[in-house]
Amino acid sequence: MQDAAIRLTGVSKSFGATAAVESLDLTVPRGSIYGLLGPNGAGKTTTIRMILDILGPDQGTVEVLGQRIDDRLRCRIGYLPEERGLYQRMTIIDQLIFLAVLKGMPRSEARKESMSWLERFELGDRADSMVEELSKGMQQKVQFIGTILHRPDILILDEPFSGLDPLNVDLLKKMVLERHEAGTTILFSTHMIEDAEQLCGRVCMIAGARKVLDGSVSDVRASAGRNEAVLRFRGDPSFLRENGFRGELQRRGESYELKLADGTDSRELLRRAIQAGLEVEHFEVRQPTLREIFLERAGKKGLDTSGHGAYAASSGGAL
Amino acid sequence: MTNLSVARVLAIIRREYLFRVKNKWFLITTFGLPVLMIALSTVPAWLTSRAGGSASPLYIGIVATPSLRDVDVPALLRAEDDGLASDMTGQDPTESTDQLAASLRKTDYNAYLVIGDTVARGGPAILLSKSGVSQRRQSAIQRAVRSTMVAAGLQAEGLPAARVTEALQRPRAHLSVERVGSEGVAHQDVLAVLAMVLCFVLYMMFIVYGQVIVRGVLEEKNSDIVEVLISSVRPTELMLGKVLGIGAVGLTQIAIWAVTVGVLALYGLLSGAAVTLSQAGLDLRGLSLPYVTIGAAFLGFYLLGFFLYASAFAAVGALVGDDQQAQQMNFPVMLLIIVPFVLAFSGINTPDAGWLAAASLFPFFSPILMLVRIITGVAPAWQVVTSLVLLVLTIWGVAWVAGRLYRVGILMKGKRPTLPEIMRWLRYG
């Protein structure tokens, strides 16, 4: 299908006896911001390395822009690895040109593009500085420029926000959204589910080498099917029992707060509460967060337990 | 694995090359070393020429047994070395060394040459000297003593002493060994020295640039730049570009040295060095050497040897996690360069020895040893061809193994892999 930027079909990869990824199906639509979620060691980096053809899958196929990944297609991907690095004793401009030329960009064009990006990031006057003379934050910017310089159709960002200060996190998020608006497909992996919830249109959650769920963020949250209603009020809570509402009731100072169990009509609850003459302070129908859904679905393979196990296995085994 | 991109390999070669050639240490070693070498070879000759003549004169008192009184020993000494002035003294050679030394201290002589009657029966002549005597002058004196004994012997046979002495002063014979090779005739000692110099340059290049490669790979690993690179280039391209780029840096350095030496020789600025060499018994004047053969052999073995050792060093760099581990893992590869160099030194005077021929066919030794044997003109064509074939096959094998280890190793973090792990990478890598 033409609308898939990246498609993995039945992909498995193991290192020795350790399975890093097991029969993974994954489709990243063109132009989407796609989140690959999971705890450390769940198989995110291995998945990304297979998309980039750094590793070959044991089973299954990896397609990029509708074709088996090859050298030409690799040039249309920009990759920001989790472990970031630059040549310390090289000037910024030389470094950027080098990275872009490796992606097939002509040298003169690479120079022009580098300069205009450096201007945008307010590093124009540092083009001839050695990388080692820059602050950590500036190096992060240079690294990001190196990722997008060759105008990739697909951006793959592995844990892009880890280790960044809040200012740079905001800058990077802004740049990601800007690339998104320019039509670039963006795949990013993170163990910070909240980041994904904020940015992504679609997500795929993996834990312990297996996919737990995937789909658009709104579908995932809606399909969780257990919207929670929260009602805070002053007055006599006895109307609840009279109308057969069952939930978790807590005293909050002068007020009561009710978290309503699943399967109840929340609008009915609000109507009855007003009818009973209660003073309603707060009412909210809340979809579960991705984190809650993930914890629920992943079960024992969830964030903490399986995350730890998988991490130990992947760091112990050979890559 | 296949489909290497030439453009990408060139980009990597370019980066490695420019990065290192622009480095100030490259400039210092490249231009500093020839200056240092020329200074070392020129200054002694210059100093002696400034001191007037070849060296300061030595004033010798001759203490000879009475049977030698008709031989003109001072003339024989002067015939060997202009700087040797001498008189016959009336001292008795049978006196003890202590007595002679005490008497020497009271005179203006720099030394006593004691020729007792035991010398005729194979005993030593003795030079008692207040100052140091150079090796070259010792030989001159030794030759003069020998002439003295010959003169005395002939005189005893009835020939007039004056005529014999005069005859012995005339020939100043030197032996020049000319090596008959396929391309002509060349001076053996000059060839030996040239072989050692070039083989030292090879040795140095392999060791120094091998370390540059190990450190380069390690830096890419530890700074995590490799994570970025690997999404654009194949590990094989990265390794190839690195080896070729750094090899080109070494080649540039050699070319600069060769041109420097050539230009200096052209303008006669190396005459000082030539004087030093000729004092050591090497006459460079009127020399015809098989330059083409030597140049081709040097270049060929530099390129092949560099590729061989550099691939191995690249694998070492990929396998280790830090400098300390690199030191340990380096050693086996270094040994493959050090051993042939040591063998070359011990075999240089007998380059046609069978053990040297055998060792020069061993692929890891052949870049250095076969070069020595080719320059000294003792390697038959079939041996050269055999060594080249074996070397190329070995390079292919080493590059294959190194490529696999490199591919897996550069993405490895932390501890050094165990041997079973390395074996597994080789099978599945």
Side-chain angles (χ1 to χ4, degrees):
Chain A
M1 273 198 344
Q2 265 306 303
D3 63 342
I6 299 169
R7 184 192 299 280
L8 271 62
T9 317
V11 166
S12 298
K13 178 78 185 176
S14 44
F15 301 110
T18 317
V21 175
E22 269 180 87
S23 51
L24 179 65
D25 295 315
L26 183 140
T27 305
V28 179
R30 274 192 204 211
S32 63
I33 303 185
Y34 196 98
L36 190 59
L37 311 183
N40 289 329
K44 300 189 300 289
T45 299
T46 302
T47 304
I48 286 174
R49 283 182 172 171
M50 285 191 286
I51 295 172
L52 288 163
D53 203 21
I54 294 171
L55 295 171
D58 296 338
Q59 273 169 9
T61 56
V62 178
E63 283 175 27
V64 171
L65 300 170
Q67 290 172 44
R68 286 292 278 272
I69 174 87
D70 61 16
D71 272 8
R72 193 182 52 78
L73 289 169
R74 265 155 61 109
C75 290
R76 296 173 66 182
I77 302 178
Y79 173 49
L80 184 69
E82 179 178 6
E83 307 291 345
R84 271 152 252 170
L86 296 165
Y87 288 109
Q88 292 296 304
R89 300 197 45 76
M90 201 174 172
T91 63
I92 293 165
I93 185 76
D94 284 350
Q95 183 125 217
L96 288 175
I97 293 172
F98 176 64
L99 290 175
V101 168
L102 289 184
K103 288 289 192 184
M105 198 178 215
R107 192 166 288 277
S108 56
E109 192 185 343
R111 176 177 296 276
K112 232 168 49 200
E113 282 289 298
S114 302
M115 281 317 296
S116 84
W117 276 108
L118 286 173
E119 297 290 344
R120 280 198 58 187
F121 279 84
E122 292 165 355
L123 286 170
D125 55 335
R126 306 300 298 270
D128 291 316
S129 302
M130 291 280 176
V131 170
E132 62 185 356
E133 296 162 15
L134 298 189
S135 70
K136 195 104 195 279
M138 289 179 183
Q139 293 194 21
Q140 304 268 19
K141 289 182 190 171
V142 173
Q143 187 104 48
F144 186 69
I145 295 174
T147 311
I148 57 176
L149 192 54
H150 61 289
R151 291 190 285 266
D153 297 318
I154 300 171
L155 264 185
I156 297 180
L157 315 172
D158 197 358
E159 301 281 359
F161 305 117
S162 71
L164 290 190
D165 63 61
L167 232 75
N168 275 316
V169 168
D170 283 347
L171 182 70
L172 191 52
K173 282 181 179 170
K174 213 178 93 196
M175 293 309 304
V176 166
L177 289 173
E178 190 190 293
R179 291 291 94 204
H180 172 62
E181 264 147 44
T184 311
T185 307
I186 294 153
L187 169 68
F188 79 88
S189 87
T190 181
H191 65 283
M192 305 290 289
I193 295 183
E194 286 73 17
D195 285 333
E197 205 156 19
Q198 186 190 349
L199 284 173
C200 295
R202 302 179 73 85
V203 291
C204 171
M205 294 182 172
I206 53 180
R210 285 184 170 280
K211 179 162 81 179
V212 176
L213 60 85
D214 68 348
S216 76
V217 172
S218 51
D219 284 355
V220 167
R221 289 176 67 170
S223 70
R226 43 167 216 101
N227 290 353
E228 195 176 53
V230 180
L231 178 71
R232 199 159 69 235
F233 61 91
R234 287 180 188 224
D236 185 2
S238 63
F239 86 98
L240 294 170
R241 213 178 314 113
E242 287 157 16
N243 290 292
F245 292 115
R246 275 195 308 279
E248 192 186 319
L249 187 66
Q250 271 184 323
R251 180 115 208 185
R252 302 256 166 178
E254 300 285 298
S255 324
Y256 289 97
E257 185 172 287
L258 173 75
K259 274 190 185 149
L260 203 53
D262 189 27
T264 322
D265 188 344
S266 52
R267 277 174 303 178
E268 181 69 9
L269 170 71
L270 183 61
R271 205 160 55 78
R272 294 286 172 147
I274 292 165
Q275 266 178 8
L278 297 170
E279 188 183 335
V280 175
E281 290 178 332
H282 179 89
F283 177 74
E284 179 191 17
V285 178
R286 198 165 67 79
Q287 283 189 323
T289 63
L290 286 178
R291 173 182 290 277
E292 288 162 339
I293 297 168
F294 183 78
L295 281 171
E296 188 183 290
R297 293 290 182 87
K300 278 181 192 156
K301 295 191 300 178
L303 278 175
D304 299 321
T305 51
S306 135
H308 185 71
Y311 178 70
S314 82
S315 59
L319 190 149
Chain B
M1 181 72 224
T2 47
N3 302 331
L4 295 187
S5 151
V6 177
R8 286 198 296 260
V9 174
L10 282 178
I12 295 162
I13 291 177
R14 185 192 153 104
R15 193 204 84 83
E16 293 288 343
Y17 184 81
L18 290 180
F19 173 67
R20 289 172 209 288
V21 168
K22 283 194 223 155
N23 188 295
K24 68 171 187 291
W25 281 109
F26 177 81
L27 295 176
I28 291 173
T29 53
T30 305
F31 293 101
L33 209 62
V35 170
L36 189 72
M37 299 285 268
I38 289 166
L40 281 180
S41 57
T42 310
V43 167
W46 179 72
L47 283 179
T48 48
S49 73
R50 232 175 65 110
S54 53
S56 57
L58 195 67
Y59 187 36
I60 300 174
I62 294 160
V63 181
T65 191
S67 62
L68 298 175
R69 67 179 173 271
D70 291 333
V71 180
D72 189 354
V73 183
L76 290 173
L77 278 168
R78 210 165 36 246
E80 295 293 345
D81 186 334
D82 295 337
L84 294 176
S86 54
D87 295 318
M88 302 297 273
T89 65
Q91 295 283 336
D92 181 0
T94 56
E95 281 183 57
S96 76
T97 308
D98 285 341
Q99 285 169 317
L100 286 170
S103 118
L104 174 64
R105 281 191 204 103
K106 282 180 245 153
T107 65
D108 289 339
Y109 294 120
N110 300 114
Y112 271 169
L113 175 60
V114 185
I115 312 176
D117 52 3
T118 55
V119 175
R121 296 189 299 274
I126 294 165
L127 189 73
L128 288 172
S129 177
K130 289 180 187 168
S131 55
V133 179
S134 74
Q135 191 69 43
R136 203 165 58 84
R137 198 157 253 174
Q138 288 178 31
S139 308
I141 295 171
Q142 193 172 339
R143 286 194 301 272
V145 170
R146 194 180 163 78
S147 297
T148 303
M149 299 321 290
V150 170
L154 290 173
Q155 190 192 358
E157 296 290 327
L159 286 163
R163 292 240 352 245
V164 170
T165 311
E166 192 200 327
L168 280 169
Q169 290 171 41
R170 242 180 280 128
R172 289 186 91 170
H174 295 291
L175 179 65
S176 167
V177 180
E178 306 292 323
R179 193 89 214 178
V180 181
S182 54
E183 290 187 26
V185 179
H187 196 301
Q188 173 170 294
D189 290 342
V190 172
L191 288 177
V193 169
L194 189 63
M196 284 324 292
V197 168
L198 292 182
C199 136
F200 179 71
V201 172
L202 272 197
Y203 165 81
M204 216 174 55
M205 287 284 151
F206 293 159
I207 295 272
V208 169
Y209 282 99
Q211 295 316 294
V212 171
I213 286 181
V214 172
R215 260 182 279 120
V217 175
L218 206 54
E219 188 213 337
E220 275 173 6
K221 249 181 93 159
N222 288 344
S223 71
D224 292 317
I225 178 82
V226 76
E227 298 270 338
V228 183
L229 296 182
I230 220 69
S231 72
S232 308
V233 302
R234 304 279 160 190
T236 320
E237 292 170 346
L238 193 56
M239 185 174 127
L240 195 65
K242 206 168 222 7
V243 168
L244 294 180
I246 293 175
V249 175
L251 213 53
T252 308
Q253 201 158 36
I254 291 171
I256 292 173
W257 288 340
V259 169
T260 311
V261 170
V263 167
L264 289 180
L266 210 62
Y267 287 97
L269 291 174
L270 286 180
S271 55
V275 168
T276 308
L277 282 175
S278 74
Q279 282 173 356
L282 290 178
D283 198 350
L284 291 180
R285 277 155 292 192
L287 201 65
S288 81
L289 288 174
Y291 289 112
V292 176
T293 310
I294 292 175
F298 178 78
L299 206 62
F301 280 112
Y302 169 79
L303 292 176
L304 292 173
F306 193 91
F307 207 86
L308 176 69
Y309 301 120
S311 310
F313 278 123
V316 168
L319 289 181
V320 298
D322 56 43
D323 281 329
Q324 213 180 346
Q325 291 173 9
Q327 299 290 328
Q328 300 164 7
M329 294 276 279
N330 259 335
F331 191 65
V333 187
M334 300 267 262
L335 218 53
L336 291 175
I337 306 172
I338 295 170
V339 168
F341 184 62
V342 172
L343 291 181
F345 247 102
S346 41
I348 190 65
N349 287 320
T350 52
D352 39 8
W355 62 268
L356 198 62
S360 71
L361 289 176
F362 180 58
F364 286 100
F365 293 174
S366 61
I368 287 176
L369 290 184
M370 197 48 94
L371 179 72
V372 169
R373 296 186 66 241
I374 288 175
I375 294 177
T376 50
V378 297
W382 72 266
Q383 287 185 5
V384 176
V385 172
T386 309
S387 84
L388 284 178
V389 170
L390 290 177
L391 186 53
V392 169
L393 287 177
T394 307
I395 288 173
W396 188 82
V398 168
W400 185 84
V401 170
R404 295 209 133 196
L405 295 180
Y406 185 84
R407 216 141 39 103
V408 186
I410 49 170
L411 290 174
M412 273 289 289
K413 288 269 163 180
K415 68 177 173 59
R416 186 152 57 102
T418 60
L419 202 60
E421 275 174 325
I422 293 178
M423 295 313 287
R424 205 170 65 218
W425 296 355
L426 279 181
R427 263 178 289 141
Y428 305 113

